[in-house]
Amino acid sequence: MLTIPGHTFQDVSLIQNTSKKFQNLYTQSTHAELQGNDDIAFFGYIKSLEVLVKDIAMIEHPDSEDMVLFSSLIQCLEKFHSTNIHLFSKKLLEVLKNDYLHYQKGPEFFSYTELVKDCIDYFLLYLELLQKTFSLNDKRTEKEA
């Protein structure tokens, strides 16, 4: 079953607000999936998610950049996104913690890819909300000055 991610680079409010590194990984993952390279696409989506999660963590915690950069995806989620982690299914967290051989054990492989893409969608929306909040806070600060 082939699914195409719901966001494109013309979707200004979401993808274009991300880092170039995320955009490159996400694009490559999408192309790999479209070409039937499911294994490569899967791991590309996980790496895309990692970059996105870390980008957001560095926006929210600029003084912790080194800690964010040198943490694993799971460590970053647990430390910097602990208020959001309860939204993730146990299965998604399990998928993100395991290695390649684990994924190949069963036919659920495609559902794992969908879980990771759903998580990317969640963080894209979260990033958009975060950026709007910062924008509103900046405008409020300007009015007070």
Side-chain angles (χ1 to χ4, degrees), residues 5-145:
H7 304 291
T8 65
F9 293 107
Q10 286 73 40
D11 191 347
V12 176
S13 67
L14 296 177
I15 298 293
Q16 288 188 354
N17 290 333
T18 61
S19 67
K20 290 293 180 198
K21 186 64 174 171
F22 170 79
Q23 291 178 18
N24 289 337
L25 283 168
Y26 188 79
T27 301
Q28 290 173 35
S29 304
T30 302
H31 288 294
E33 184 177 14
L34 291 171
Q35 293 173 351
N37 298 318
D38 298 324
D39 295 332
I40 293 169
F42 176 72
F43 290 104
Y45 285 129
I46 288 179
K47 276 300 167 195
S48 299
L49 175 62
E50 180 178 350
V51 169
L52 183 59
V53 163
K54 288 181 176 185
D55 286 348
I56 293 170
M58 287 186 288
I59 290 169
E60 292 182 307
H61 307 280
D63 296 338
S64 302
E65 184 174 337
D66 284 345
M67 191 181 304
V68 170
L69 290 175
F70 292 104
S71 64
S72 69
L73 173 57
I74 290 296
Q75 290 169 333
C76 190
L77 284 170
E78 289 172 346
K79 177 141 182 85
F80 298 103
H81 299 287
S82 59
T83 56
N84 298 329
I85 206 164
H86 72 281
L87 300 171
F88 304 155
S89 68
K90 250 180 152 175
K91 180 51 88 179
L92 174 63
L93 294 173
E94 194 178 296
V95 166
L96 296 177
K97 288 179 183 179
N98 286 305
D99 64 8
Y100 178 74
L101 294 176
H102 170 82
Y103 300 120
Q104 296 304 310
K105 281 202 238 174
E108 309 89 25
F109 182 73
F110 291 108
S111 65
Y112 297 155
T113 301
E114 292 307 308
L115 282 173
V116 174
K117 288 193 300 187
D118 288 345
C119 192
I120 290 171
D121 287 345
Y122 167 80
F123 275 105
L124 286 172
L125 293 169
Y126 181 77
L127 177 61
E128 180 183 39
L129 178 63
L130 184 64
Q131 290 171 335
K132 285 180 180 177
T133 303
F134 284 155
S135 177
L136 289 173
N137 288 342
D138 290 343
K139 288 177 184 173
R140 187 174 304 139
T141 304
E142 288 172 9
K143 285 181 181 179
E144 292 171 0

